[in-house]
Amino acid sequence: MGETGSASADGKLSGQFLDAAIGLLQRVRDEEGESIGTAGELLADTVATGGRLFAFGAGHSSLAAQDLVYRAGGLALMNLLTVPGVVGVDVMPATLGSALERVDGLASAVLNCSPLRAGDALVIISLSGRNALPVEMALTARSLGVKVIGVTSVAYTTATKPRHSSGTFLKDHCDVVLDSKIAVGDAELSLDTIPAPFAPASTVVTSALLQAVMATAAGALAKRGIEPPLLRSGNVDGGLEWNERVFEEYGDRIFYRQ
């Protein structure tokens, strides 16, 4: 049987979204290669010198942060830095998380109670980079001697106003900035029959961007003669035993098992 008009239209939209995501990934590959390399080397330096790795994102940006933690094929030393109420959309009401991102002082309180210390590295993911929480987190972390990798859409810095009291964005307080190239509003498609743009791609692009950084870090460690502390899938033979060895060797730098 032939496709209906509705099914055909839906298929066209799905293809347009995938093409848009592929286009963004190609831009990241072509335009952010140097920054990805720098970020990977920074993480490798941190691992090699005994530092710990952390990742943070609020709301949907937390998805890319969580994708780095306790992940088969990923670095075992990557820990999730959590802020109650803003990691994911499981808090009720979900809008509370958005409100907390705009609260001055919250990031400093969280970092003061966290295990971060000088010599560590922190990946901060914020699509807009304009809210108080990611800006203050980057500022405070660097003041503590922590290296900061910011993942954001630089386009927001010219199209929106910052919400932190300093009048700055996340990108202004990072050792390395990775630009996800996502358009302001994070919606890749539009139709005359639909009043709002739709189909966000930030999660796809940001996760891929960060996995490229992780791959670079693993390669950089191997090049130095250091076995990268990688995890294997627990669903393949020998995976659990492999992971237990890594956990034992690096237990003092892994916080998600405590």
Side-chain angles (χ1 to χ4, degrees):
M1 296 177 64
E3 291 184 335
T4 65
S6 176
S8 177
D10 290 344
K12 184 177 180 181
L13 287 173
S14 65
Q16 288 176 355
F17 173 75
L18 292 172
D19 286 344
I22 291 169
L24 286 164
L25 290 171
Q26 290 175 330
R27 284 191 62 197
V28 166
R29 178 197 62 196
D30 296 341
E31 300 172 20
E32 295 300 303
E34 183 176 350
S35 295
I36 289 171
T38 302
E41 290 287 346
L42 187 156
L43 294 184
D45 288 343
T46 304
V47 173
T49 56
R52 294 87 58 81
L53 309 180
F54 296 85
F56 168 77
H60 287 95
S61 289
S62 71
L63 296 175
Q66 293 176 57
D67 190 51
L68 300 177
V69 179
Y70 188 46
R71 182 66 191 264
L75 292 173
L77 273 60
M78 184 61 71
N79 301 278
L80 187 67
L81 180 64
T82 60
V83 178
V86 305
V87 179
V89 291
D90 55 340
V91 63
M92 294 298 290
T95 51
L96 174 61
S98 297
L100 289 173
E101 286 187 68
R102 300 190 287 271
V103 174
D104 284 334
L106 178 58
S108 295
V110 169
L111 290 180
N112 288 337
C113 296
S114 79
L116 264 89
R117 66 188 184 193
D120 292 344
L122 172 61
V123 178
I124 301 177
I125 307 160
S126 174
L127 179 60
S128 72
R130 68 187 297 222
N131 287 313
L133 181 58
V135 174
E136 183 184 324
M137 185 168 289
L139 268 166
T140 306
R142 292 184 84 191
S143 73
L144 297 173
V146 174
K147 296 293 186 181
V148 174
I149 298 171
V151 187
T152 188
S153 171
V154 175
Y156 276 82
T157 63
T158 57
T160 65
K161 296 179 180 179
R163 288 174 170 157
H164 187 254
S165 56
S166 66
T168 59
F169 288 84
L170 169 62
K171 77 171 188 64
D172 299 316
H173 307 287
C174 300
D175 295 280
V176 184
V177 176
L178 299 171
D179 184 3
S180 63
K181 315 297 180 182
I182 300 296
V184 175
D186 191 16
E188 293 300 318
L189 302 182
S190 61
L191 278 178
D192 292 341
T193 54
I194 300 178
F198 55 101
S202 60
T203 303
V204 174
V205 176
T206 303
S207 292
L209 174 55
L210 284 170
Q211 290 300 343
V213 172
M214 297 301 116
T216 302
L221 286 167
K223 194 172 183 178
R224 304 178 193 191
I226 301 172
E227 180 183 320
L230 297 169
L231 295 175
R232 290 187 172 182
S233 172
N235 295 315
V236 300
D237 292 342
L240 293 176
E241 292 78 10
W242 172 280
N243 292 344
E244 283 301 319
R245 177 182 66 82
V246 175
F247 290 149
E248 182 176 352
E249 182 175 354
Y250 292 96
D252 61 333
R253 294 197 258 175
I254 297 172
F255 297 92
Y256 51 82
R257 296 187 75 235
Q258 297 177 359

